[in-house]
Amino acid sequence: MRILVMGAGKMGSFFLDLLSFDHEMAVYEKDPVRMRFTYNCRRFTSLDEVKEFRPELLINAVTVKYTISAFKEVMPYLPDDCIVSDIASVKTGLKEFYQQCGHPYVSTHPMFGPTFANLQQLSEENAIVISEGDYMGRIFFKDLYRRLDLSVYEYTFDEHDRTVAYSLSIPFVSTFVFAAVMKHQDAPGTTFKRHMKIAKGVLGEDDYLLQEILFNPYTGCQVERIMDEMRELLGIIEHKDAKAMKAYLTKIRNNVKKDLDLN
């Protein structure tokens, strides 16, 4: 299959490396410097080269802020039967775009990234394939993700947004609160250092990505849940209520017992 990847960033390069020995690969990137570490693929800096390549599958891996604008830019240069796809963690506006774009499409979300995940060992990571896309496109990505030992889930666009609101918004907001109140520590403890490492990774993400994840219409109710828990905990602390503290710790240990294997 002839596959074009748009964007030679970390995830774009990851897909190029992953697919380059089984498919005829090309990458389109406006900044030639970003393509210096790509190999076993054709390198395009003009859309005329894309037209000549006649891709059968397009993987849009540009920064999430430009996902739709990048699609609009390349569409006139694609064959009519080219399957277009994205790997964006934020799907805002994509369902509506795909419905009128005139191409078969598939939308997926690898639930890992270069900030924290080991891209060479992904057996504990997950991926979402949107169920509303082209059948053959969905099969392609499900097979690809399963070969990486990823756990693959199929959701609608709406179900995806709800999942992201829970799995990304809660840790992101918690990290923001930690970073907002923290002070530099010359001799930090282990727990502090671990939280700081997470904060460094999250705050190193693209501002637009963080914004769009938090502006997800389902994020507000998750933030309300955090605030409710903080109010409850604050009340226990203010009253120095040992019995309530023990009950609260029991509650949260039970809540995470399945995931953390607490005994």
Side-chain angles (χ1 to χ4, degrees), residues 18-108:
L18 182 64
L19 297 166
S20 62
F21 291 99
D22 298 313
H23 302 276
E24 185 179 353
M25 301 298 297
V27 56
Y28 171 67
E29 170 62 63
K30 293 180 178 179
D31 181 3
V33 175
R34 302 190 75 189
M35 295 190 288
R36 65 190 185 279
F37 297 124
T38 58
Y39 66 97
N40 204 28
C41 67
R42 299 171 66 178
R43 306 176 186 183
F44 300 154
T45 56
S46 78
L47 291 169
D48 287 333
E49 293 173 293
V50 170
K51 186 174 183 178
E52 293 175 7
F53 182 62
R54 294 187 58 80
E56 298 167 84
L57 171 66
L58 167 70
I59 300 176
N60 187 339
V62 304
T63 304
V64 66
K65 182 177 182 179
Y66 301 109
T67 301
I68 292 179
S69 60
F71 270 139
K72 290 180 178 179
E73 181 182 20
V74 76
M75 284 295 182
Y77 299 86
L78 300 177
D80 292 340
D81 58 353
C82 178
I83 300 173
V84 296
S85 72
D86 73 276
I87 57 170
S89 54
V90 175
K91 303 298 185 184
T92 305
L94 279 169
K95 180 178 181 178
E96 294 76 15
F97 171 79
Y98 281 135
Q99 289 174 336
Q100 56 80 43
C101 75
H103 283 264
Y105 70 88
V106 58
S107 183
T108 76

Side-chain angles (χ1 to χ4, degrees), residues 77-198:
Y77 299 86
L78 300 177
D80 292 340
D81 58 353
C82 178
I83 300 173
V84 296
S85 72
D86 73 276
I87 57 170
S89 54
V90 175
K91 303 298 185 184
T92 305
L94 279 169
K95 180 178 181 178
E96 294 76 15
F97 171 79
Y98 281 135
Q99 289 174 336
Q100 56 80 43
C101 75
H103 283 264
Y105 70 88
V106 58
S107 183
T108 76
H109 180 185
M111 300 286 284
F112 59 87
T115 300
F116 294 116
N118 178 359
L119 297 183
Q120 305 304 316
Q121 173 62 332
L122 297 170
S123 59
E124 296 183 0
E125 305 293 344
N126 305 303
I128 293 173
V129 175
I130 301 298
S131 60
E132 298 165 70
D134 176 78
Y135 174 77
M136 293 307 297
R138 299 201 316 271
I139 292 297
F140 175 86
F141 278 99
K142 284 195 282 188
D143 287 346
L144 176 64
Y145 291 148
R146 284 171 180 153
R147 282 196 283 117
L148 294 171
D149 289 329
L150 293 166
S151 296
V152 181
Y153 300 91
E154 199 161 0
Y155 295 154
T156 64
F157 278 106
D158 184 67
E159 289 169 337
H160 168 272
D161 289 348
R162 291 178 184 271
T163 299
V164 167
Y166 176 79
S167 64
L168 293 182
S169 297
I170 288 178
F172 279 16
V173 169
S174 301
T175 299
F176 289 175
V177 172
F178 168 78
V181 301
M182 68 150 287
K183 296 180 180 179
H184 172 72
Q185 299 291 311
D186 290 325
T190 302
T191 303
F192 186 93
K193 287 191 290 186
R194 288 178 178 173
H195 278 282
M196 196 64 227
K197 183 177 180 180
I198 293 172

